[in-house]
Amino acid sequence: MPSDETYHAPGERQLLLRFWKSARGFWTGKSAVLAWLLTVLLVATVLLQLLTQYYLNFWNRDFFNAIERKDGKELLGQTLRFLPLAAASLSLAVFSVWGRMTLQRSWRAWLSDELYRYWLGQDRFVRLNFVAGDYQAPEYRIAEDCRLATDLPVDLVLGLVGSLLTAATFIGILWVVGGNLAIDAAGLTLTIPGYLVVAVVVYSITVAAVTMLIGRRLTDVLEENKRAEAQLRAVGTHVRESGEGMGSGMKGEDGIRAIRPALKAVIASWLNYCWELVRLTIITHTNSLVAPVIGLLLCMPKYVAGTMLLGEVVQAAAAFVVVQSACSWFIDNYPRLAEWAASANRVASLLLALDKTDPSQVKDEIARMRG
């Protein structure tokens, strides 16, 4: 096995660049037509879902205004108007799931095939044993980390695009419906233009900053967790192969002594991961409870003053939650971003190690080890 004396672990930027250098070939090689077709269809679906959500927001306003007027005929009309909107929303949600999973499995199949070819081709899987680097359990990285490294980006990018478009659209609704807020204090009148927009931006920035502060170690914790899991599998495989290679088989106590430290490391890493998620859950769950209430409370002064109808209160509060949710994309997906980064880094570290399997480099490495 290679010595670690002169090995320097690559940085995060180098790992991610190496991963994308290989992964982006799905959109530039022979599979480009399928890749771009699925990508365009998914982006179009996101736009149509946003349009449907936009009309549903105005439907909320009209429906609750009809309730406030006790207008039975209008309520019936709004009920009939809701049916095609609900059907469109359901159809788009179903198509989105199909398109997203089709893109994910197509990308995974392409990248996995490339990784297997690169790993097994020209006997690299043999020469890899003489290269210093972080590449343990390459078959696990290709099977599991490759899956996560291709599944998560599709979900995350679509979610980000949808959140940006949603925030831009519904901020306009908040600005128009909420209008300005005049505050009288000490004989002076302070006017805050688009006060609901100002409130949602300040609130979202505050929650995002707290999340980044609390979850700053999550990527490192996840990488350590994956490393420990891979090591446990490798030790288990070694114990089994050692036992099968002996006439009477390896003694059970010997195998237990070999496995126990690796298992202990896995449990410890999962405990660290658990505490990271507990801290993040406190933030995300509190945010999901508080945001709708804040939207309603901010509308109450205008509703009490008679300058905002009930339907407009419901519309503005719903738009507040939608914008805040869109602005909270980073908060809600922080654990998944960390998990993707950890998996992509592990795939990239394998690729970097395979890059070093040039026969001349391996020969120099063996000579150094024997020297």
Side-chain angles (χ1 to χ4, degrees):
M1 292 299 293
S3 170
D4 293 333
E5 294 179 359
T6 59
Y7 172 67
H8 300 285
E12 180 94 4
R13 178 181 174 82
Q14 182 183 357
L15 289 170
L16 293 180
L17 286 175
R18 182 61 186 89
F19 171 78
W20 283 115
K21 180 181 178 181
S22 293
R24 70 187 180 191
F26 181 59
W27 279 269
T28 59
K30 295 179 179 179
S31 58
V33 174
L34 174 63
W36 282 110
L37 176 62
L38 290 171
T39 302
V40 171
L41 285 175
L42 283 171
V43 172
T45 302
V46 170
L47 292 173
L48 291 173
Q49 286 177 313
L50 175 60
L51 185 62
T52 304
Q53 190 177 22
Y54 179 82
Y55 282 119
L56 281 170
N57 181 264
F58 279 92
W59 176 87
N60 268 308
R61 180 199 65 185
D62 298 337
F63 183 77
F64 280 94
N65 280 340
I67 290 177
E68 189 175 34
R69 295 193 303 267
K70 298 181 175 62
D71 188 339
K73 183 177 180 181
E74 178 65 16
L75 282 171
L76 177 60
Q78 291 302 324
T79 301
L80 295 175
R81 180 185 165 200
F82 174 76
L83 295 177
L85 290 173
S89 179
L90 176 60
S91 300
L92 289 169
V94 171
F95 183 81
S96 177
V97 171
W98 174 86
R100 173 174 52 81
M101 295 192 71
T102 300
L103 179 59
Q104 287 171 331
R105 70 173 183 266
S106 300
W107 189 15
R108 180 192 178 185
W110 180 89
L111 183 58
S112 296
D113 184 71
E114 291 295 313
L115 290 172
Y116 280 122
R117 287 175 181 274
Y118 195 39
W119 176 45
L120 299 174
Q122 300 180 12
D123 293 331
R124 289 189 185 90
F125 70 102
V126 176
R127 296 199 299 271
L128 188 63
N129 293 320
F130 301 100
V131 176
D134 178 22
Y135 55 81
Q136 291 73 23
E139 66 281 358
Y140 173 76
R141 297 190 183 205
I142 296 175
E144 181 63 15
D145 289 311
C146 180
R147 177 183 66 82
L148 292 173
T150 52
D151 278 4
L152 292 175
V154 176
D155 289 340
L156 293 170
V157 171
L158 286 176
L160 178 60
V161 171
S163 294
L164 292 174
L165 294 174
T166 299
T169 301
F170 281 83
I171 278 177
I173 294 176
L174 274 182
W175 188 279
V176 173
V177 176
N180 303 332
L181 179 66
I183 301 176
D184 295 322
L188 299 175
T189 300
L190 174 64
T191 301
I192 304 176
Y195 78 104
L196 290 178
V197 175
V198 174
V200 76
V201 170
V202 171
Y203 176 79
S204 298
I205 291 175
T206 302
V207 176
V210 173
T211 302
M212 291 182 65
L213 178 64
I214 291 177
R216 62 188 182 278
R217 292 184 57 250
L218 186 57
T219 300
D220 293 335
V221 170
L222 272 169
E223 282 196 60
E224 179 57 34
N225 177 263
K226 290 177 179 293
R227 205 165 12 245
E229 291 280 7
Q231 181 63 25
L232 178 60
R233 287 181 174 86
V235 171
T237 300
H238 175 71
V239 169
R240 177 181 58 79
E241 291 177 345
S242 298
E244 291 173 348
M246 297 170 60
S248 59
M250 175 179 278
K251 294 181 179 179
E253 287 300 322
D254 295 333
I256 292 174
R257 279 194 294 270
I259 290 175
R260 188 169 289 152
L263 178 59
K264 185 178 180 180
V266 167
I267 300 304
S269 68
W270 271 103
L271 179 60
N272 291 335
Y273 182 39
C274 172
W275 284 118
E276 290 295 321
L277 289 184
V278 165
R279 286 191 285 267
L280 285 173
T281 300
I282 293 173
I283 301 300
T284 56
H285 192 70
T286 301
N287 177 54
S288 67
L289 292 174
V290 171
V293 177
I294 291 178
L296 287 171
L297 290 176
L298 288 172
C299 294
M300 283 301 102
K302 285 198 163 188
Y303 179 72
V304 172
T307 57
M308 186 179 284
L309 299 175
L310 176 62
E312 292 173 327
V313 170
V314 174
Q315 181 186 22
F320 184 93
V321 172
V322 169
V323 173
Q324 198 281 320
S325 297
C327 293
S328 298
W329 176 89
F330 177 79
I331 303 168
D332 297 335
N333 289 281
Y334 192 82
R336 303 182 77 199
L337 281 165
E339 185 175 16
W340 171 78
S343 294
N345 287 348
R346 284 171 55 79
V347 173
S349 63
L350 172 61
L351 286 167
L352 287 173
L354 289 171
D355 291 342
K356 299 176 183 178
T357 56
D358 180 85
S360 60
Q361 294 190 36
V362 173
K363 184 177 179 180
D364 293 341
E365 179 68 18
I366 295 174
R368 186 189 64 78
M369 291 169 60
R370 292 176 177 174

